[in-house]
Amino acid sequence: MHQGPQVLVFPSWRDNPFLNLLALAARSQGRRFLGSTTYEGFREQIKRLHAGDTVHLHWTQPLLQKADSPVEAEGRLRALTADLDSLAARGISLVWTVHNRLPHELSYPQEERRLIRAIAKRADAIHIMAPATSEVVAEVVTIDPAKVRLIPHPSYEGVYDSGIDRSTARASFDLDSSDRAVLFLGQIRPYKGVDALIKASGTASLDDRNVVLMLAGAVKEIPLDEFQASLPDGIRTITDLSFIDDGDISRWFRAADVAVFPYRAILNSGSLHLAASFRTPVIFPDEPHLRSQFGKQTWVEFFDPARPAESIAELLSDPTLFSNVTDADFRSFTDPISPWAVSRQYAQLLDELSAGA
């Protein structure tokens, strides 16, 4: 196979399905993907690039926020800015994917804002997945509309094992037809608002069904014993507070009646796309950009972020919640954003940038 131009991805977590799906078509065309997950590694990899290559920045948090002091963070910022300035002169393009308004954990917020503005200023293309991204991040950075490329988040159709059917999945958790299984799957971190879901599950009431809370994922930035002590009394709770193996993800989603993602701060979420791929309805925060993007989906409902626990409880107490959702409703959402279709759009962007180098 002809070896094409190189793409330096940062951070390039090998087990991140989003990054792997995005690169599918470009890899098949012969592009070589480099990567690093550290500040030092990123700067070293930049030296290996040549004219026609591309740097693709995703999550910026590891670049500055891993510094040991404000002085080190400032030094890193200066060095990274110089690195980015050198790209254009060397014929190397820069792409930035906007995943969040800001990283969720910040030790050096002002330096992070300056880095994001430096990236936006120097980027040849700014990849967004939510149409309202520029408005959502406007307080942090001004995005040049001429640089924006809207490529949607891919679905996860065909990525995870989905051979298990709903009845088998529910039986594996000892769930029956009278249970409304409410799932949160993913790392449990403060910004994800799982505490509101726990409270809501304990207060939701259904005349003829029992609420069962399902929590799957490692607990981060919260003491484990403190989190376990917060679990509700009076309802059944199924937990696996560790990393969930890819091969077991389908079992959790297939068993659930609804997945709740009670985030306090969100721009994009692969969790919604993952749930859709398993045909699991979703409850999401009622933020204007999220309602604009997903409000027409019959399998998405929205809770009030001003009163999250109460609002989620009201939705979970509705006996008709998602009663009219069909498989076709999910397919109309996932089919146009299949992994291959989205990866082809990304490959076209890389081709455009290489041609203009």
Side-chain angles (χ1 to χ4, degrees), residues 9-317:
V9 176
F10 184 89
S12 58
W13 295 306
R14 291 178 180 270
D15 60 351
N16 184 291
F18 169 82
L19 295 177
N20 292 328
L21 294 181
L22 200 62
L24 283 173
R27 287 186 188 277
S28 74
Q29 294 169 357
R31 288 188 182 270
R32 181 185 178 198
F33 280 74
L34 309 176
S36 174
T37 59
T38 66
Y39 162 79
E40 294 82 4
F42 175 66
R43 296 199 65 212
E44 187 63 30
Q45 292 280 35
I46 283 178
K47 298 174 184 177
R48 301 176 57 183
L49 301 179
H50 307 285
D53 292 342
T54 301
V55 172
H56 190 158
L57 287 171
H58 287 271
W59 299 272
T60 57
Q61 192 269 349
L63 292 172
L64 300 186
Q65 304 307 314
K66 299 292 186 181
D68 291 330
S69 69
V71 172
E72 182 183 345
E74 182 67 31
R76 288 188 177 197
L77 176 59
R78 288 196 301 270
L80 287 166
T81 302
D83 287 341
L84 297 178
D85 281 336
S86 74
L87 297 179
R90 295 166 57 196
I92 300 165
S93 55
L94 175 62
V95 179
W96 174 40
T97 293
V98 188
H99 288 275
N100 305 299
R101 179 176 170 273
L102 279 170
H104 297 294
E105 288 85 28
L106 286 174
S107 299
Y108 313 108
Q110 295 308 313
E111 290 80 1
E112 188 72 25
R113 287 171 181 262
R114 288 164 58 198
L115 174 62
I116 288 172
R117 290 165 185 163
I119 293 169
K121 179 179 179 180
R122 292 158 178 82
D124 297 284
I126 298 176
H127 167 214
I128 67 171
M129 294 175 282
T133 294
S134 296
E135 291 80 8
V136 175
V137 304
E139 182 188 344
V140 176
V141 61
T142 299
I143 293 178
D144 181 353
K147 296 181 178 182
V148 170
R149 303 293 188 274
L150 176 59
I151 301 175
H153 193 297
S155 76
Y156 292 98
E157 296 281 293
V159 176
Y160 294 94
D161 177 18
S162 57
I164 189 169
D165 60 37
R166 176 175 168 79
S167 61
T168 303
R170 289 179 71 86
S172 74
F173 291 106
D174 196 25
L175 295 167
D176 61 35
S177 59
S178 66
D179 294 322
R180 171 168 281 177
V182 179
L183 173 67
F184 176 89
L185 187 146
Q187 286 189 351
I188 298 171
R189 300 164 68 183
Y191 82 88
K192 294 190 176 182
V194 179
D195 56 327
L197 172 58
I198 290 171
K199 183 177 179 181
S201 299
T203 57
S205 177
L206 287 163
D207 291 338
D208 58 348
R209 301 188 70 181
N210 304 309
V211 173
V212 177
L213 178 61
M214 305 177 70
L215 301 175
V219 179
K220 303 287 186 179
E221 292 106 37
I222 308 170
L224 182 59
D225 56 351
E226 178 182 313
F227 178 77
Q228 290 174 318
S230 73
L231 298 180
D233 296 324
I235 70 166
R236 184 182 172 205
T237 303
I238 302 169
T239 62
D240 185 345
L241 303 180
S242 62
F243 175 79
I244 304 302
D245 185 79
D246 285 353
D248 200 33
I249 287 177
S250 61
R251 186 172 68 99
W252 288 84
F253 275 105
R254 294 289 195 199
D257 292 288
V258 55
V260 182
F261 300 107
Y263 301 130
R264 294 190 175 98
I266 180 175
L267 174 57
N268 304 286
S269 176
S271 297
L272 178 144
H273 295 74
L274 187 59
S277 298
F278 290 114
R279 307 303 189 250
T280 306
V282 168
I283 293 177
F284 232 33
D286 194 359
E287 300 288 352
H289 68 282
L290 297 176
R291 183 173 283 275
S292 174
Q293 188 173 6
F294 303 114
K296 294 182 180 179
Q297 305 300 327
T298 61
W299 48 275
V300 180
E301 285 289 350
F302 298 91
F303 70 88
D304 182 357
R307 43 190 294 275
E310 297 82 359
S311 181
I312 293 170
E314 290 165 4
L315 289 168
L316 296 180
S317 299

